[in-house]
Every structure is written in C-alpha cells, then in structure tokens.
C-alpha cells in the first residue's frame, strides 16, 4: 500500500472537495505556488477563479471569504502561520461565527480556515509558533486538530462540507507523519467524534494533535506496568464528551496533554468537565505549555515550553500512583 | 414640470421623485417612532438614529436592483428599509420580538433581510466592507451582473481592514459600490480630527474613481450611484462615493441621558436646516406629499402595533440558530 503523508492528505482533501463541489474555492498567500505544499497543483488543476493568490491583507481576505460564503461559495483560506489568527480573530470570531445567530438563522457561513504548520516549528520564535486552538474552542468556532493523515483528510473534507465556519489546525509536529493507506479508504470523518488509538484500563490520556504520537510512545514505554488508553478527541469543539466519559468508565484516571498555554487552555476544560460529570478515581493531571508562554527562539528554550514525553510519562505515573 | 405646489398628485409607483420622497419620509418617520419606542422602553438597548442622512439610503437604493445586495452599519435602519425590508418586521426586530426580521436575535445593530439583499447591519466599524467585496466577487464569478454596495461612515476610513478591502476590490475589479456616509462625526470626533488626508484621497491611492456627493439630496445621490452601479455591472470595478450630510440627532439614544457635549445648538440648527425631507418634498406636488405623508404615517402606526404585539422569544431558545448546521451548544449550567 502507498505511504500517504499528512500534508499530502490535506492536499488531496482540498482537491477532492473542489472536484465534487464547484462552490469550493481557495484563498491565501502564495497558494498558487503552494509554499506550504497544502495547495500543490490546485491552481493548475482548477484555475485562478478558484485558487486565488491574495495580497498580504489577512483581515480583508478573511472578511472577503465571509462575503463570498454569504453569496453561496464555500471558501477555504490557508494561513501560512498560526499567529495570523490573532490578526483575523475579529473576522472569524466576531463576524463569520456570529452571522447565523445574529440573523436569526437567515444565512450560513461555510468557510474553512486551514493552518498547515500550527505550533512550534524548528526555532521559528515568538510570532510563528503559537497553537491557538483553545481560543477558537472558547468562542465556539468549530475547531479541529487532526493527528494522522487519514484523519487530516477526513476531517478537512468534513470541515469544507460543513455549513459553519471551521478552523483546522494541522500541527507542524504531525505534518511529517506517514501512514500506509489505500486511497480508496480515505473518507470524511465526522466532527465531534474522538478516536481511541490504543485501548487501556488504568488511565486515559487525552492527547491533542501531534501529541497523540507522543502519547502512543509513552503508552508503549509503560506497557507492562501501566495500561494506557490514548484518546484523541480529533475535534476540540464540538468535543466528544460521551467518548471521553466511556473511556473514563473503563479507566477512572485522566491525564491531558495539550500544546497550548495552561490558563484557559482546552486541557483545563477537559479536566473540569470530567471532574463535574465523569467517573474519576484519582485527581486528573495535565501537561501543557506554561502560562502565557511565548516560544523563545533558541531550540532548547523553545522545547522547554512544549509538553514532552518525559513530562507526560511522569504525569501518568503520578495519576496512577495517586489512585 | 408642473408647479409642485399646485400640480396634480403624483404616484410614487410611477414617479421617481415621489418614490424618493416616500423612502425619505418612511425612514424619517421610522426613526422618530423608534426613538419614541426607546424612550417607552419597548425597544431595548437604544438605537443610532439616521435622521439627516435619509437621502443617502433612499438615493443609493433607488439605483439598485432587488437582486443586488448591501452591507450596512450600526446606523443601519435607513439602508435596511430603503432596500425593501418590511417596516413592521424591522420595528419588531428593534423591539426584540420573534416577529422581527432576525427573530429578535440581531436587533437594531444587526438588522438583516437576506430576502431583499440586506446582508446585515454590522456593529464593528468598517467590518462589512470586505464582506461586501467578497459577495460582489462571488456574483461576478457566477457570471451574473449583480453588484454589492457597502455603506460605512467617515470613521471607518481609518480602519485598516477597509483600506485593505479597497485594495482587494480594486485589484480584482469586483462589482462593488463603496458609499462613505460622511455625517461629520465619528461618535463625538469631528471628521477633521480623525481623518488625515482626505476620504477621496484614500480611494485615489488604490486607483478607485471617487467623488463627493451632496448626501442631503436624494436625486444627486441616486444619479451618482447609478453611474457607479453601471460601471460595476460593466466590469469596471469599484467606485467610492463620499456622501456628505449632517447627523441631526445623537450618535446613540444613550446621549439623551449622558448628554456629552461635542457640538453647539447653533451648529445642530444649521445642520438641520439642510433637510433631505424638505429638499425632496419641494420637488413633488403638495398634494402628493400630503398623500405620501398620510400613507407613511399609517404604515408606521401599523408597524409600531405589529412590533408591540409580537411575542417575546422563549428564553429556552436563546441559542437557536447559533450554528447553521443545527449543532446544539452545551448549556452553561447543567
């Protein structure tokens, strides 16, 4: 079977959706030459009326996509770096997201915002290394963080078909992941349905995005001593609360590993909900970036702010020991 | 032309001057009724009155087709009505009733009626300009000759997103008419104190044709808009119209209680002297004007009754329509 990379899966999802629906169009900076590779080949295949290189005007082209959506199109916007989301937060959180309710359901805004390379890349420093998915979950914008090529394909396809705005964070730490996949097996994946990558009975590790792979590695390290279940929510908003509850029925212990800042991060919400509503037999733990973190440039400093396998392993051992 | 003071009654359905007067009178009367309903606490939250600027809404919308679209501002009732929204449902929206245009979910600052091409009033200054540009681009891409028109105030021309949208619209020659309503004030700040350079100069920087129009004269606004619309339909791209007028009343009805002082009574009186209602009223026979006034008053009486009689929404439905897909959000308390 051919190996499919995460990045190629994103590219294939966009192309397949453009094939099946004329309304799908792509906006972004340097999407014609596909600087990030996510849009490779699309300009040649679909032409400049559907793949538009934009000026460096993130706020305008994000609002522009909202208008195009109100007029019947299904735009996908690619942002080269995640910090640009801070710049266009008004256009997404305050405009696109609010149109349906404010108009009393008169309209829909089916725009997809794709971030291929979210989170830390190798020393890209303070303004290129954020991973702001918790912000979007907080305001209620559908928020997706796929961990594998098949999920990257399936969740992006679903996001494009969704009638609401959806932000798709493709973590830079996952872009290089490859999977043996039959292309015919690539199918849309519903939003709000988590995935158990590894079953276990002692502790549930909820891992977001690329951290799923770290969680699987830690689970393997601990195999024989601790039975770790790795739960990948895949979408952070809506979140698969019933899937998490079912997992905690089995394990009763919870560790969350989340590559966003600690205060008001999604990890805090997962733990709060579990504490309020689910079966826990030990205090839950979380591994996150530090409060208010700005990723420093030097590689060792950058890494010092990101969740590590060692931290996750320690948290799992503590959670189990405390039981 | 017949002497307007003695001539025969004109029919707004066939006489453009009478039709323009009718729209100006409708918007003026609507705003006055809305202010009364704010004071009576039927309309919660207050409104941004459009009085003094009616010629801009009436003139621009008279040059648009029903299938063209507009985006509006936080001072948007005039645009919404001129584009064809039902006054009764618009008033019901201001009153937060289920019978309102937006089922009581949008209110004064977000009134929208997609059925008549109103893509929404917008409460963030300048935010709707790129939205209108995107809709215009989608029309052209679909092979139609529909246009979009975006209203924004003089305060908006210092918003970065507006200038970015000028660039995109001009670069991609989208069928867009940009209508800057220069009413002299960005809330309390005079235009001269907030705009470096000039509003027309903003457009010139992007190669967008621009002109200043007397925004108290409905016919001047209509004629200028018609040129801009024709240019847009023909593929000529965006045009900016700076329509000058004077805001007769408060920035917001809140001013009636807080009473910030940023202009003198003399200045307001001078501004009010150039009244779009009188300018257009003088162009039609007195009998026509009286007939229209009576018809508009009756229409607005009905609108107020309709608004007051509309049911208040059930609190259990507070988050209905949050997602177009019907997804339900978790409750805050469980």
């Amino acid at each position: 079977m051919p190996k499919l990379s995460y990045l190629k899966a994103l590219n294939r999802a966009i192309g397949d959706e453009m094939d099946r629906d004329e309304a799908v169009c792509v906006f972004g900076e340097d999407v014609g030459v596909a600087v990030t590779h996510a849009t490779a080949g699309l300009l040649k295949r679909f032409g400049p009326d559907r793949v538009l290189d934009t000026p460096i005007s993130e706020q305008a082209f994000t609002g522009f996509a909202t208008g195009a959506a109100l007029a019947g199109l299904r735009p996908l916007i690619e942002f080269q770096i995640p910090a640009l989301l801070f710049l266009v937060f008004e256009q997404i959180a305050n405009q696109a997201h609010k149109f349906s309710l404010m108009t009393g359901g008169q309209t829909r805004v089916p725009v997809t915002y794709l971030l291929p390379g979210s989170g830390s890349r190798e020393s890209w420093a303070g303004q290129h290394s954020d991973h702001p998915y918790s912000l979007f979950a907080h305001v209620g914008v559908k928020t997706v963080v796929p961990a594998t090529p098949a999920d990257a394909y399936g969740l992006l396809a679903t996001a494009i078909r969704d009638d609401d705005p959806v932000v798709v964070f493709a973590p830079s730490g996952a872009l290089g992941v490859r999977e043996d996949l039959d292309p015919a097996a690539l199918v849309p994946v519903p939003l709000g349905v988590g995935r158990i990558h590894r079953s276990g009975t002692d502790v549930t590790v909820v891992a977001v995005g690329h951290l799923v792979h770290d969680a699987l590695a830690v689970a393997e390290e601990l195999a024989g001593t601790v039975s770790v279940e790795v739960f990948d929510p895949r979408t952070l908003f809506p979140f698969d609360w019933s899937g998490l509850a079912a997992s905690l029925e089995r394990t009763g212990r919870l560790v969350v590993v989340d590559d966003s800042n600690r205060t008001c991060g999604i990890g805090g919400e997962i733990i709060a909900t579990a504490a309020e509503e689910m079966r826990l037999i030990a205090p839950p733990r979380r591994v996150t970036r530090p409060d208010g973190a700005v990723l420093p440039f030097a590689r060792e400093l950058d890494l010092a702010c990101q969740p590590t396998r060692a931290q996750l392993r320690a948290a799992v051992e503590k959670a189990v020991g405390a039981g | 032309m017949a002497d307007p003071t003695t001539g025969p009654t004109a029919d707004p359905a066939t006489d453009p001057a009478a039709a323009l007067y009718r729209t100006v009178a409708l918007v003026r009367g609507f705003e006055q009724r809305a202010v009364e309903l704010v004071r009576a606490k039927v309309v919660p939250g207050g409104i941004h009155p459009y009085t003094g600027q009616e010629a801009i809404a009436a003139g621009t919308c008279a040059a648009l087709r029903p299938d063209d679209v507009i985006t509006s501002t936080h001072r948007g009732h005039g645009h919404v009505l001129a584009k064809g929204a039902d006054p009764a449902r618009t008033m019901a929206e201001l009153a937060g009733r289920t019978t309102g245009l937006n089922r009581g979910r949008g209110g004064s600052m977000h009134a929208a009626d997609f059925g008549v091409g109103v893509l929404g009033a917008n409460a963030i200054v300048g935010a709707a300009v790129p939205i209108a540009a995107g809709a215009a681009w989608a029309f052209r891409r679909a092979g139609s000759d529909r246009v979009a028109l975006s209203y924004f105030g003089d305060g908006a021309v210092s918003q970065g997103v507006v200038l970015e949208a000028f660039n995109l619209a001009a670069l991609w020659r989208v069928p867009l008419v940009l209508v800057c309503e220069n009413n002299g004030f960005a809330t309390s700040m005079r235009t001269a104190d907030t705009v470096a350079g000039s509003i027309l100069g903003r457009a010139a920087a992007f190669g967008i044709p621009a002109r200043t129009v007397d925004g108290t004269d409905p016919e001047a606004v209509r004629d200028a808009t018609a040129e801009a619309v024709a240019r847009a339909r023909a593929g000529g791209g965006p045009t900016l119209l700076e329509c000058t007028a004077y805001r007769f009343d408060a920035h917001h009805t809140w001013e009636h209680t807080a009473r910030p002082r940023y202009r003198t009574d003399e200045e307001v009186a001078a501004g009010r002297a150039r009244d779009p209602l009188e300018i257009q009223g003088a162009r039609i026979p007195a009998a026509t004007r009286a007939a229209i006034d009576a018809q508009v008053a009756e229409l607005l009486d009905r609108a107020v009754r309709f608004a007051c009689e509309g049911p208040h929404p059930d609190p259990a439905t507070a988050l209905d329509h949050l997602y177009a897909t019907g997804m339900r959000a978790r409750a805050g308390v469980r």
Side-chain angles (χ1 to χ4, degrees):
Chain A
M1 255 186 290
K3 286 264 191 198
L4 181 71
S5 78
Y6 188 112
L7 207 44
K8 182 66 189 169
L10 293 175
N11 177 251
R12 188 179 291 228
I14 303 170
D16 285 358
E17 292 308 304
M18 292 183 82
D19 253 341
R20 65 179 287 283
D21 186 350
E22 274 280 315
V24 179
C25 50
V26 174
F27 296 98
E29 289 150 359
D30 311 300
V31 292
V33 298
V35 159
T36 68
H37 306 299
T39 57
L42 297 178
L43 175 60
K44 193 172 170 203
R45 205 164 135 200
F46 297 103
D49 252 12
R50 295 187 67 192
V51 179
L52 283 89
D53 267 320
T54 61
I56 299 176
S57 294
E58 291 87 10
Q59 296 183 70
F61 68 68
T62 305
F64 193 93
T66 299
L70 295 178
L73 298 180
R74 308 187 80 87
L76 176 141
I77 302 178
E78 187 203 57
F79 295 98
Q80 286 179 20
I81 57 170
L84 295 176
L85 290 173
F86 298 138
L87 198 56
V88 300
F89 203 63
E90 200 285 314
Q91 285 74 28
I92 300 175
N94 201 35
Q95 301 288 336
H97 171 55
K98 292 183 177 175
F99 254 91
S100 180
L101 183 128
M102 291 196 306
T103 62
Q106 290 181 58
T107 192
R108 54 188 192 163
V109 183
V111 182
T112 304
Y113 312 92
L114 176 63
L115 285 297
S118 187
S120 168
R121 289 183 258 193
E122 295 270 326
S123 283
W124 281 31
Q127 293 172 342
H128 277 45
S129 305
D130 291 298
H131 216 164
Y133 45 72
S134 294
L135 281 180
F136 289 88
H138 178 72
V139 294
V141 175
K142 293 178 180 178
T143 303
V144 178
V145 194
T148 69
D151 283 346
Y153 178 93
L155 290 163
L156 181 55
T158 302
I160 293 169
R161 294 182 198 183
D162 198 280
D163 278 343
D164 290 313
V166 184
V167 188
V168 179
F169 290 90
S172 60
L175 295 182
V177 173
R178 290 168 167 271
E179 253 183 310
D180 284 329
L181 275 174
D182 175 359
L186 291 170
V187 290
V189 171
L191 304 186
V193 180
R195 173 176 174 181
I196 293 172
H197 286 268
R198 178 188 177 111
S199 297
T201 53
D202 292 331
V203 56
T204 298
V205 171
V206 176
V208 175
H210 62 294
L211 296 170
V212 165
H213 305 288
D214 292 296
L216 286 168
V218 168
E220 187 58 33
E221 282 172 27
L222 292 172
T225 54
V226 184
S227 172
V228 176
E229 178 146 308
V230 177
F231 181 86
D232 170 9
R234 302 198 283 196
T235 56
L236 301 182
F237 196 93
F239 194 95
D240 184 2
W241 297 117
S242 61
L244 177 62
S247 177
L248 291 176
E249 279 301 315
R250 291 188 286 276
T251 64
R253 298 182 186 87
L254 174 63
V255 175
V256 180
V257 57
D258 156 31
D259 185 29
S260 70
N261 294 353
R262 192 169 184 91
T263 294
C264 296
I266 192 74
E269 179 57 36
I270 294 168
I271 284 176
T273 300
E276 282 180 326
E277 303 175 8
M278 299 176 194
R279 174 177 173 263
L280 284 178
I281 58 172
R285 313 202 71 85
R286 63 188 144 146
V287 180
T288 67
R289 290 189 184 187
D291 270 352
V294 175
L295 256 57
F297 167 73
R299 190 64 186 141
E300 52 274 29
L301 302 179
D302 172 320
L303 289 172
C305 293
Q306 293 181 59
T308 65
R309 289 183 186 181
Q311 289 167 341
L312 177 58
R313 182 180 171 139
V316 167
E317 287 171 336
K318 268 190 195 164
V320 175
Chain B
M1 188 182 154
D3 178 346
T5 58
T6 59
T9 303
D11 178 2
T14 53
D15 181 72
L20 274 177
Y21 176 77
R22 184 185 178 281
T23 308
V24 171
L26 173 69
V27 174
R28 173 67 55 87
F30 184 95
E31 294 296 80
Q32 289 169 339
R33 304 293 183 107
V35 169
E36 287 165 15
L37 292 185
V38 169
R39 290 179 183 158
K41 302 198 185 302
V42 171
V43 169
I47 65 163
H48 299 83
Y50 192 65
T51 37
Q53 300 175 231
E54 299 91 341
I56 306 172
T60 48
C61 286
L64 294 175
R65 292 196 315 235
D67 66 341
D68 295 326
V69 302
I70 63 167
T71 63
S72 175
T73 68
H74 59 282
R75 196 180 306 286
H77 312 155
H79 312 139
V80 174
L81 294 170
K83 190 65 175 69
D86 174 22
R89 293 193 58 218
T90 307
M91 195 67 89
E93 184 58 32
L94 268 54
R97 309 304 169 102
T98 60
T99 45
L101 290 174
N102 310 10
R103 299 182 167 101
R105 269 66 179 182
S108 168
M109 286 193 284
H110 305 301
D113 188 347
F114 279 62
V116 297
V118 179
L119 304 189
N122 202 307
I124 300 299
V125 171
V129 180
I131 294 173
W137 176 79
F139 294 154
R140 196 192 61 198
R141 183 177 172 273
S144 87
D145 69 345
R146 298 166 70 187
V147 307
L149 183 150
S150 186
Y151 300 98
F152 51 94
D154 47 286
V157 302
S158 301
Q159 283 279 28
V161 72
V162 171
L163 302 177
E164 289 184 25
F166 282 12
N167 184 55
L168 268 190
L171 196 64
W172 293 347
R173 296 177 81 81
V174 304
L176 177 67
V177 180
L178 298 159
V179 176
C180 178
E181 298 189 275
N182 184 350
N183 66 11
F185 294 92
T187 308
S188 70
M189 294 285 284
R190 286 175 194 276
T191 309
D193 295 331
T194 66
V195 178
S198 69
I199 292 170
L200 296 187
R202 302 279 205 275
F206 299 100
I208 295 174
R211 55 185 280 207
T212 301
V213 183
D214 178 357
T216 63
D217 181 342
E219 294 187 356
V221 173
R222 178 197 58 202
D223 294 347
T225 308
E227 278 179 37
V229 167
R231 182 165 183 272
R233 288 205 209 287
T239 303
L240 172 73
L241 302 175
E242 178 197 14
C243 298
T244 53
Y246 189 82
R247 165 160 57 76
F248 284 9
D249 291 305
H251 165 68
H252 185 264
T253 42
W254 169 80
E255 274 184 37
H256 292 297
T257 51
R259 297 191 185 283
R261 294 293 292 176
Y262 54 90
R263 51 190 195 177
T264 63
D265 293 342
E266 293 72 27
E267 182 193 312
V268 174
R272 280 175 167 268
R274 188 147 177 88
D275 186 338
L277 192 70
E278 298 308 321
I279 289 168
Q280 195 60 24
R283 291 178 176 147
I284 59 173
T288 299
R289 182 173 178 178
I292 290 171
D293 287 344
Q295 187 214 29
V296 164
E298 193 192 323
L299 183 71
L300 291 172
D301 286 345
R302 281 207 307 268
V304 170
R305 277 200 306 277
F306 179 83
C308 293
E309 289 165 2
H312 291 276
D314 176 354
T317 67
L319 292 182
D320 281 7
H321 314 295
L322 180 56
Y323 297 96
T325 45
M327 186 176 93
R328 306 300 301 190
R330 285 194 298 163
V333 176
R334 274 163 298 155

